[in-house]
Amino acid sequence: MATIDNFNFDGKKAIVRVDFNVPLDENGNITDDTRIRGALPTLKKILNDNGSLIIMSHMGKPKGKVNPKMSLSQIKDAVAKALGTDVAFAEDCATADDMAANLKPGQVLLLENLRFHPEEEGKPVGIDKEDPNYDAAKKEMKERQKEFAKKLASYADVYVNDAFGTAHRRHASTAVVADFFDNDHKMLGYLMEKEVKAVDNVLNNINRPFTAIMGGSKVSTKIGIIENLMDKVDNLILCGGMTYTFAKAQGGNVGLSICENDKLDLALEIMKKAKEKGVNLVLGTDCVAADAFSNDANTQICSAMDIPEGWEGMDAGPETRKAFADVIRNSKTILWNGPAGVFEFDNFSAGSRAIADAVVEATKNGAFSLVGGGDSVACVNKFGLADEVSYVSTGGGALLEAIEGKVLPGIAAIKG
Ligand code: AMP
């Protein structure tokens, strides 16, 4: 099987799926170019080999329609600057035949937003799921998706997927297109390889003790991962807003804290399962409670099981922070998804900071630490600690699905 490292792109045209869904301000200026920088090793390897590059990506959710606000033309110059070479732009990704055919080695072509065509996502448009004709429309769209993917494939000799953020979607450019290349002419890019290896390190190649830290607001969005991890981890720290669903399930008073009343049984079930499987489940015991959802609210430290009426738990308390940090410091594999409190407010970020510091310390002592899933990445960035953990994942939904043990279509399409 081909890999990005062992393939020689000399004289070849490579079509590369990247994730250039970068945030733009109201004037179309890029506010964070992390994703462009992330794809550079793959793109530069192809150019350095004397290959030509066809870059494709989505931006935003244009729902199958042309929308100038989501045009990749806005980032063409930034891509050219990052690559240090001119970039041509194809205004319609589905009719770029001539531009692709005329590309010389070392030249770069950026295709317009793939999602301006409904075929990219492959979902029928303008028809309700309840409509009796929905299944027929879906079937027809799948055929159109295949044709669209075939067209993209026709531009190039080789397909490279370096867009981990969309690897959990079976879209034309992330998975279907791979069917039109043989195993020697399709491969993962460097970013994808790193993500796959990082997930493998926490799912299959585990040094113990293995600690997973799951935070964020709700149990319901994390339940799939929690269940999958229960078979693998030694310690499971559940923190953030979830704390109060567990507290209430055990008969606690949670005041105005975020709490999923329909998940109380599920919380008890998780506690029971952890016990059965010998997993050390670590829940917050004390918390920083506030009298309003605001950085300037009045605060008090109280038991997570006994929050006064009118107050809400906003962050892990000092005793909890110490307990979490003690477990994390002694771990050899760490997965962290979701903050321990409302870290966006400085006055309620101490819990997440304590976790981040302990993860960094464990990493210095040889642990492998993977931080991933939207808000925990924002958290380590806020604390300036992203370079001090082993790996910060670029994929939100894709990472979570991979950790749940699901096969990602974007990876399966290449690795089989
Ligand atoms: P999630 O997207 O589920 O990972 O949730 C992340 C969000 O959970 C962040 O925006 C945090 O502010 C929020 N969060 C964490 N702890 C709490 C809490 N105790 N109360 C309310 N929101 C919280």
Side-chain angles (χ1 to χ4, degrees), residues 215-219 221-222 239-244 257-258 288 293 312-316 337-345 348 352 373-376 400:
S217 49
K218 293 176 175 171
V219 186
T221 54
K222 306 272 156 107
C239 54
M242 280 189 248
T243 310
Y244 311 101
S257 306
I258 188 170
V288 183
F293 191 80
E312 60 184 301
M314 297 274 277
D315 195 12
N337 171 264
V342 187
F343 76 99
E344 297 92 335
F345 296 149
F348 302 100
S352 304
D375 272 320
S376 15
L400 299 190

Side-chain angles (χ1 to χ4, degrees), residues 23 28 88 92 182 199 209 326 355 360 372 391 412:
D92 180 356
D182 64 31
V199 172
D326 285 346
I355 290 178
V360 167
Y391 194 70

Side-chain angles (χ1 to χ4, degrees), residues 22-341:
V22 291
L24 302 175
D25 65 17
E26 62 278 8
N27 300 317
N29 298 313
I30 299 171
T31 55
D32 179 352
D33 68 349
T34 310
R35 287 177 170 157
I36 296 180
R37 284 187 283 113
L40 287 181
T42 294
L43 302 179
K44 285 193 168 164
K45 148 82 177 161
I46 294 166
L47 292 179
N48 289 342
D49 272 5
N50 204 35
S52 35
L53 259 183
I54 300 152
I55 304 174
M56 58 177 175
S57 176
H58 75 283
M59 180 181 272
K61 294 181 176 163
K63 303 214 162 92
K65 288 204 191 87
V66 175
N67 181 338
K69 286 206 174 106
M70 298 173 200
S71 171
L72 286 170
S73 61
Q74 300 171 97
I75 67 161
K76 180 178 94 94
D77 292 345
V79 176
K81 195 164 166 219
L83 287 174
T85 186
D86 286 347
V87 171
F89 185 71
E91 284 175 15
D92 180 356
C93 62
T95 57
D97 311 55
D98 290 345
M99 290 183 92
N102 292 329
L103 270 188
K104 306 269 177 306
Q107 292 185 335
V108 185
L109 173 64
L110 173 65
L111 303 183
E112 180 56 291
N113 194 341
L114 295 155
R115 291 192 189 166
F116 284 179
H117 290 266
E119 290 84 358
E120 163 64 0
E121 293 177 79
K123 276 189 248 145
V125 270
I127 181 162
D128 202 79
K129 273 196 176 140
E130 314 302 321
D131 192 303
N133 295 319
Y134 182 81
D135 284 346
K138 194 170 158 193
K139 206 168 153 211
E140 193 221 319
M141 182 50 93
K142 287 287 162 206
E143 282 309 309
R144 280 169 54 189
Q145 185 184 49
K146 244 187 242 167
E147 284 308 307
F148 179 70
K150 192 174 173 185
K151 169 57 72 108
L152 297 172
S154 74
Y155 300 156
D157 308 299
V158 196
Y159 167 65
V160 183
N161 189 354
D162 213 16
F164 184 70
T166 47
H168 57 317
R169 307 275 182 229
R170 192 172 160 76
H171 290 172
S173 67
T174 61
V176 185
V177 66
D179 294 344
F180 298 96
F181 295 88
D182 64 31
N183 283 344
D184 295 329
H185 293 87
K186 56 182 167 188
M187 64 204 75
L188 302 179
Y190 286 118
L191 188 63
M192 274 283 246
E193 277 187 349
K194 273 203 281 184
E195 295 277 357
V196 170
K197 188 155 179 288
V199 172
D200 193 55
N201 271 339
V202 296
L203 286 189
N204 303 316
N205 186 14
I206 306 164
N207 280 330
R208 293 190 181 278
F210 177 11
T211 299
I213 309 147
M214 291 286 138
S217 49
K218 293 176 175 171
V219 186
S220 51
T221 54
K222 306 272 156 107
I223 186 65
I225 312 166
I226 291 174
E227 282 183 338
N228 189 43
L229 287 173
M230 199 79 93
D231 289 323
K232 302 185 190 296
V233 297
D234 303 292
N235 306 300
L236 179 59
I237 295 176
L238 296 180
C239 54
M242 280 189 248
T243 310
Y244 311 101
T245 302
F246 281 85
K248 187 157 182 189
Q250 296 172 84
N253 301 314
V254 298
L256 293 178
S257 306
I258 188 170
C259 176
E260 289 173 282
N261 285 315
D262 58 338
K263 295 288 178 289
L264 302 181
D265 289 345
L266 183 67
L268 294 177
E269 189 61 28
I270 290 170
M271 293 180 80
K272 188 167 155 250
K273 264 200 194 147
K275 207 168 188 181
E276 281 165 13
K277 291 182 188 282
V279 170
N280 175 30
L281 181 67
V282 192
L283 289 162
T285 50
D286 63 347
C287 70
V288 183
D291 62 356
F293 191 80
S294 150
N295 191 44
D296 305 320
N298 295 308
T299 62
Q300 61 171 299
I301 307 293
C302 55
S303 159
M305 292 285 284
D306 198 9
I307 298 172
E309 252 345 278
W311 291 67
E312 60 184 301
M314 297 274 277
D315 195 12
E319 184 184 275
T320 301
R321 283 175 232 156
K322 187 177 176 310
F324 288 177
D326 285 346
V327 170
I328 295 166
R329 262 193 232 109
N330 291 312
S331 305
K332 284 282 170 265
T333 303
I334 302 165
L335 168 69
W336 180 19
N337 171 264

